[in-house]
Amino acid sequence: MKTSSMTARTLDAFARMSIGRAFASGIGMVAGGFLVLLVLVAIFAPWIAPFDYAAQNLMNANAPPGWPHLLGTDEFGRDVLSRVIFGARTSLSVSATAIAISMAAGMTLGAAAGYFGGFFERAVMTVVDLTWSFPDILIALIFVAIIGPGLTSTTFAIAIAYLAQFTRLTRAQIVRLKRETFIEATINLGAKPSHILLRHLMPNAIAPVIVVGMLAIGDGIVLEATLGFFGLGAQPPTPSWGAMMSSGTAQLFLSPWVIIFPGVAVAVTVIAVNLFGDELIRALDIRDRLRGS
Amino acid sequence: MILRYTAQRLLMLIPVSFSISVVIFMIVYLLPGDPIDNLLRVGSSPEDRAELVAQYGLDRSLVVQYFVWIGNMFQGEFGQAIVLRRPVADLIAQNLPYSLTLGGLAFLFSSTVGMALGTLSAMVRNPVLDRFVRGFILLGSTVPGFWLALLLILFFSVNLGWFPVSGARGWESLVLPVLTIGFGGVALVARVTRVALLDVQREDFVTLLHAKGLSSGAILFRHLMPHALLPVVTILALRIGWILGGAVTVEFVFGRPGLGSLLIRALGQRDYPVVQACLLMLALAVMLGTLIGDVAQAAMDPRIREKKS
């Protein structure tokens, strides 16, 4: 209980000082504002989308952008705009969930490796370095191939693909902090390892990890879209940005808008995530700590 | 000195490749679906099945299967593709050149154009150019590769008719895939070059060189570049793995033969030996890339070889 309220307080302070400052710059405001808007759109999709995302109308298939289908229709006559809006739900939630899992697991592994050292650290870091040098799409592909296509396996595949990143970063922070005088003092005062780790090391190590997590959500969206494009992610009729483009490939020459608009959605979102992440890094002044890992 | 360092790094690769090979062997064993099912004719008896299983050695224990497999690998004997019914070595030999050509050209493209762009944006203090390069860097590192590929096909192949939509005939078919893979690489290399150059420029010795009256060109090529090259080489070496990853998607979109499309197809068909061989080749390339990067770094920076050896 104590540690969770502790973490909550740290996070709260973190949020107040840095998010506010990240919003303060022009770019940060535009990018951050867009992301807030996107999350709202995803949450309120059923009220915002002009049409039912699954409603087919074969008489009006492959209609170009116009009225009433602002972004056109796909090969089943479904409204592309509505599918992009509902796709935001899938893409954002899958990526955010995956990164949250990845962050939690990576922080635990990295903190334990950095704090306890020894054989455990070497074992963890060997595996981490192995996966680190592999392209994330390969790791995700193999994982999805093992447990089968679908949104759940996509989520875990993304989580595993970025696990190495969080483990490395957390370990680097912990190793750096362990050398600080105040930690030495706490150890000499007789504090228990769990106390040192949770109350002194983690709160100080958490900021860069959260920022990298924020940036990784963007990468996760791209990875989700790629897996969806291979037909390994969301299954029909669930709309996701990647899956939309996958079914659109067959109609590339007939109705390019089915591919263009979900791609624009991915690109704009990921760019916004990156710009906002950069502002966060600047606001928190942690560029050097990120480079060290 | 540098030879000793290289030898040490090579020795370190042995446990790493052992773990990779075990992981690859195990991963493939965990894949669902049974390739034997694909081979059996309708109505075959359990005895037929058992015979096939024995023929491919799938009835022996996992440890035995691993050592048989790794022993064969060392002799360049990749086994027989279960679904395609051809020696895996042939399949690899047939597909590898396509991937190497594509990867090599993409590597060349991203390193030269990336370094040129990065240098340009760091040297020329022109806000418009700087903004353009930074925008390009941002786009290149965020836009999904397969989407870019589709847009390029749409624009250059369908609208302009300059390049073929898919396939691997002639140099024309290489242009769009190389551009697609290279785009992200250009952005990354440009960013690293830019940051590295800007970092070095702040050093005192550079101010001294300017004060001595050396021309900016001479300072750039003789004094700044050697320093800036270090992170660029590191990122380029790591990039080899990422180019291969990008090749998987791009080969798929453009319908090109290659290791990536072979792997995707084999994953779909549960063709274990092919999947294993493809993954091993990719892993080998990634490890070689890291090794080259480390050795190049050590060759350029004596501090690294002293610290690690």
Side-chain angles (χ1 to χ4, degrees):
Chain A
M1 284 317 286
K2 210 165 147 197
T3 52
S4 73
S5 75
M6 182 67 210
T7 323
R9 241 186 304 145
T10 318
L11 282 177
D12 197 41
F14 172 82
R16 260 202 316 275
M17 67 183 196
S18 62
I19 300 220
R21 254 188 278 159
F23 270 107
S25 77
I27 293 174
M29 209 164 70
V30 173
F34 174 79
L35 291 176
V36 170
L37 195 73
L38 188 71
V39 171
L40 288 178
V41 164
I43 293 173
F44 296 108
W47 291 277
I48 293 169
F51 293 90
D52 178 359
Y53 69 85
Q56 302 189 359
N57 178 7
L58 293 176
M59 302 297 288
N60 194 24
N62 295 320
W67 188 260
H69 298 285
L70 290 178
L71 302 185
T73 62
D74 66 6
E75 79 266 36
F76 297 114
R78 296 176 298 195
D79 184 46
V80 171
L81 176 62
S82 304
R83 290 183 67 73
V84 169
I85 289 174
F86 271 92
R89 270 189 167 184
T90 320
S91 297
L92 290 184
S93 61
V94 166
S95 178
T97 316
I99 298 302
I101 296 172
S102 193
M103 243 168 90
M107 278 168 71
T108 314
L109 271 176
Y115 186 76
F116 296 113
F119 176 76
F120 178 71
E121 180 182 28
R122 251 179 295 148
V124 168
M125 292 323 285
T126 308
V127 176
V128 161
D129 284 342
L130 259 181
T131 47
W132 172 260
S133 52
F134 270 82
D136 50 2
I137 178 68
L138 267 187
I139 298 174
L141 265 182
I142 292 164
F143 188 77
V144 171
I146 294 172
I147 61 172
L151 282 181
T152 318
S153 58
T154 302
T155 309
F156 280 102
I158 297 173
I160 287 187
Y162 294 114
L163 184 59
Q165 192 179 353
F166 293 113
T167 313
R168 264 175 89 115
L169 183 63
T170 312
R171 181 188 152 272
Q173 301 295 318
I174 298 287
V175 167
R176 185 184 57 86
L177 283 168
K178 245 171 62 177
R179 288 195 292 261
E180 302 270 337
T181 330
F182 77 98
I183 295 295
E184 238 172 79
T186 323
I187 296 173
N188 290 338
L189 283 171
K192 280 182 298 184
S194 61
H195 177 87
I196 299 171
L197 202 52
L198 292 174
R199 293 211 51 173
H200 296 286
L201 290 175
M202 285 315 265
N204 283 299
I206 211 166
V209 182
I210 288 182
V211 173
V212 169
M214 159 94 204
L215 287 168
I217 289 182
D219 298 335
I221 290 174
V222 173
L223 196 51
E224 191 272 336
T226 311
L227 288 174
F229 177 71
F230 282 132
L232 300 170
Q235 300 300 312
T238 312
S240 105
W241 293 339
M244 288 176 74
M245 291 187 263
S246 168
S247 55
T249 329
Q251 323 276 327
L252 179 60
F253 313 119
L254 201 60
S255 50
W257 48 88
V258 179
I259 286 186
I260 290 174
F261 293 118
V264 169
V266 173
V268 172
T269 308
V270 179
I271 288 172
V273 167
N274 273 280
L275 289 176
F276 191 69
D278 279 348
E279 289 305 315
L280 262 183
I281 292 175
R282 194 168 307 162
L284 282 166
D285 199 18
I286 51 171
R287 198 170 287 279
D288 293 336
R289 286 168 70 184
L290 289 176
R291 211 179 276 171
S293 75
Chain B
M1 198 57 192
I2 194 72
L3 271 178
R4 225 186 90 190
Y5 180 78
T6 313
Q8 272 173 346
R9 297 286 314 169
L10 272 173
L11 274 180
M12 274 168 65
L13 278 184
I14 294 174
V16 175
S17 9
F18 175 73
S19 0
I20 289 190
S21 67
V22 171
V23 169
I24 288 174
F25 181 76
M26 287 311 293
I27 281 173
V28 170
Y29 201 80
L30 291 172
L31 288 178
D34 193 340
I36 299 295
D37 289 340
N38 293 340
L39 285 177
L40 286 174
R41 289 197 195 87
V42 182
S44 34
S45 66
E47 286 79 32
D48 292 342
R49 189 189 165 80
E51 194 186 322
L52 263 177
V53 167
Q55 188 189 328
Y56 287 102
L58 295 175
D59 56 343
R60 282 178 285 182
S61 85
L62 261 186
V63 181
V64 174
Q65 281 191 46
Y66 171 76
F67 280 105
V68 168
W69 174 72
I70 200 73
N72 287 338
M73 290 287 144
F74 273 116
Q75 297 162 28
E77 181 60 58
F78 292 95
Q80 187 86 6
I82 297 182
V83 179
L84 293 170
R85 300 187 189 211
R86 294 179 45 200
V88 178
D90 282 7
L91 287 171
I92 298 281
Q94 202 177 57
N95 283 285
L96 192 60
Y98 289 102
S99 291
L100 284 182
T101 320
L102 180 60
L105 284 175
F107 187 81
L108 215 64
F109 174 69
S110 49
S111 47
T112 47
V113 178
M115 279 173 71
L117 265 182
T119 314
L120 203 66
S121 79
M123 288 297 131
V124 184
R125 301 290 175 79
N126 179 339
V128 179
L129 177 81
D130 201 45
R131 195 161 292 178
F132 170 77
V133 171
R134 282 173 63 181
F136 181 80
I137 290 170
L138 186 66
L139 269 183
S141 46
T142 50
V143 169
F146 68 90
W147 186 60
L148 180 67
L150 291 171
L151 288 191
L152 288 176
I153 292 178
L154 207 55
F155 188 69
F156 288 106
S157 304
V158 181
N159 286 357
L160 297 176
W162 287 359
F163 307 107
V165 171
S166 70
R169 274 195 205 92
W171 65 271
E172 297 98 332
S173 69
L174 269 167
V175 176
L176 294 184
V178 167
L179 276 182
T180 313
I181 304 179
F183 192 59
V186 167
L188 186 75
V189 175
R191 182 167 60 190
V192 174
T193 313
R194 179 173 182 277
V195 170
L197 278 177
L198 289 178
D199 271 359
V200 186
Q201 262 179 335
R202 263 188 240 117
E203 302 273 341
D204 287 341
F205 79 89
V206 180
T207 319
L208 179 73
L209 291 171
H210 280 292
K212 262 174 44 177
L214 207 60
S215 74
S216 330
I219 294 180
L220 173 64
F221 287 107
R222 227 173 300 150
H223 299 279
L224 293 181
M225 269 302 181
H227 286 266
L229 269 179
L230 197 62
V232 176
V233 167
T234 315
I235 212 76
L236 276 175
L238 285 176
R239 194 72 212 165
I240 292 178
W242 292 91
I243 282 178
L244 290 170
V248 173
T249 346
V250 167
E251 281 171 1
F252 180 80
V253 177
F254 285 98
R256 284 179 61 84
L259 274 192
S261 41
L262 185 67
L263 173 66
I264 301 255
R265 199 172 49 184
L267 271 174
Q269 294 171 333
R270 320 268 177 235
D271 204 335
Y272 299 153
V274 183
V275 174
Q276 285 172 324
C278 287
L279 287 177
L280 262 187
M281 299 306 286
L282 293 173
L284 206 66
V286 172
M287 285 195 303
L288 273 179
T290 323
L291 178 75
I292 294 171
D294 282 349
V295 171
Q297 255 188 329
M300 286 190 290
D301 191 342
R303 282 170 302 182
I304 293 174
R305 15 176 223 269
E306 268 152 37
K307 205 174 90 188
K308 283 190 185 163
S309 63

